[in-house]
């Protein structure tokens, strides 16, 4: 985000005033930095509980990168000292009603931040998949998982792993690669992925699945419309 120092709320306000949205790639990188902070805090037993644009601070980098910013999180763990905010777009329903903060609360708030940046509007109180129709991919999938509208992230580390997998996929042109001689299928490292391979001819050569950091799985004798599945 290239703007004067402040916080994410000020950045969002400036974009809205100009009738614009934050670029999706920029917001995904911002979300990555926020998730790194959450991952560190969670690993030390600390939940944020009040993640919102005002608490995402922008620290300018030194020259020659002075137009770029490092994101810092503030207000950790203070939400229990305040009455619940029934109107906050950054908290799920239970926490707006006063329920205790959970790890999922912080991930929901991260999704709400990402949604607001790329859509130009705050998240609705009860978000639905239809609310993401104007959110560009892959940000829409990331937001949906943070909000629990699709398979949720297990934790901030899983969120970071998914972003890394997206980066690898962009660099390689896809998340799954088939070798030139069709002898193996390689899954890009990241989160759990399911491989479905459908072959219909007889007398096929051996097919090998390469799942990085795991034992390789090999299968022979596909026939008809058989489907072999491998899961990381």
């Amino acid at each position: 985000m290239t703007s004067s120092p402040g916080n994410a709320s000020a950045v969002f306000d400036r974009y809205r005033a100009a009738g614009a949205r934050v670029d999706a790639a920029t917001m995904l990188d911002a979300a990555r930095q926020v998730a790194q902070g959450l991952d560190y805090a969670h690993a030390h037993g600390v939940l944020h509980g009040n993640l919102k644009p005002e608490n995402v601070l922008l620290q300018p980098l030194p020259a020659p990168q002075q137009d770029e910013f490092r994101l810092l999180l503030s207000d950790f763990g203070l939400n229990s000292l305040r009455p619940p905010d029934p109107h906050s777009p950054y908290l799920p329903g239970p926490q707006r009603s006063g329920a205790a903060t959970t790890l999922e609360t912080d991930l929901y708030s991260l999704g709400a931040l990402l949604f607001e940046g790329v859509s130009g509007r705050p998240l609705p109180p009860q978000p639905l998949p239809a609310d993401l129709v104007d959110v560009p991919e892959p940000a829409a999938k990331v937001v949906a998982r943070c909000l629990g509208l699709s398979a949720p992230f297990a934790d901030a580390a899983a969120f970071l792993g998914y972003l890394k997998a997206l980066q690898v996929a962009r660099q390689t042109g896809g998340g799954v690669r088939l070798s030139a001689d069709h002898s193996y299928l390689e899954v890009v490292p990241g989160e759990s992925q399911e491989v479905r391979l459908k072959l219909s001819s007889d007398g096929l050569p051996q097919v090998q699945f390469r799942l990085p950091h795991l034992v390789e799985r090999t299968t022979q004798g596909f026939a008809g419309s058989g489907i072999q599945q491998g899961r990381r």
Side-chain angles (χ1 to χ4, degrees):
M1 298 179 183
T2 54
S3 65
S4 59
N7 56 37
S9 179
V11 174
F12 291 168
D13 288 344
R14 283 195 287 274
Y15 271 88
R16 273 193 287 264
R21 307 177 186 181
V22 183
D23 174 73
T26 300
M27 270 308 304
L28 284 171
D29 184 66
R32 174 188 60 79
Q33 293 188 56
V34 172
Q36 287 174 333
L38 292 177
D39 185 40
Y40 181 85
H42 293 170
H44 290 78
V46 178
L47 299 173
H48 194 290
N50 193 33
L51 184 60
K52 56 186 179 181
E54 292 85 347
N55 293 334
V56 179
L57 309 181
L58 280 68
Q59 180 185 68
L61 297 177
Q65 298 175 291
Q66 63 268 27
D67 290 333
E68 298 181 23
F69 295 88
R70 177 184 295 110
L71 301 189
L72 306 174
L73 302 183
S74 67
D75 208 19
F76 265 96
L78 300 180
N79 207 40
S80 61
L81 303 178
R82 307 184 183 91
D85 181 355
H87 305 295
S88 173
Y90 310 107
L91 294 174
Q95 279 65 42
R96 292 199 302 269
S97 299
T101 296
T102 65
L103 184 150
E104 290 75 20
T105 307
D106 283 349
L107 292 175
Y108 183 98
S109 301
L110 178 58
L113 284 171
L114 180 55
F115 175 88
E116 184 168 351
V118 297
S119 71
R121 65 185 189 279
L123 186 72
Q126 296 180 328
L128 300 171
D131 295 314
L132 307 184
V133 294
D134 61 341
V135 175
E137 293 292 358
K141 287 186 176 65
V142 177
V143 171
R145 295 190 63 179
C146 286
L147 301 181
L149 299 177
S150 62
F153 294 112
D155 49 29
F159 178 96
L160 292 168
Y162 187 73
L163 292 193
K164 180 62 176 178
L166 290 176
Q167 180 184 16
V168 172
R170 286 196 302 270
Q171 293 171 347
T172 61
V176 178
R177 297 187 288 267
L178 188 65
S179 66
D181 62 1
H182 293 193
S183 65
Y184 70 82
L185 198 63
E186 183 174 358
V187 180
V188 173
E191 283 216 23
S192 297
Q193 301 178 50
E194 185 172 345
V195 177
R196 295 176 180 266
L197 183 61
K198 183 176 180 179
L199 302 173
S200 59
S201 61
D202 295 326
L204 292 171
Q206 186 179 79
V207 177
Q208 180 174 276
F209 292 83
R210 289 188 177 179
L211 306 179
H213 309 303
L214 293 179
V215 176
E216 294 182 353
R217 300 182 185 181
T218 304
T219 185
Q220 291 178 294
F222 285 95
S225 60
I227 297 178
Q228 174 73 20
Q229 298 182 13
R231 183 179 295 276
R232 295 190 63 238

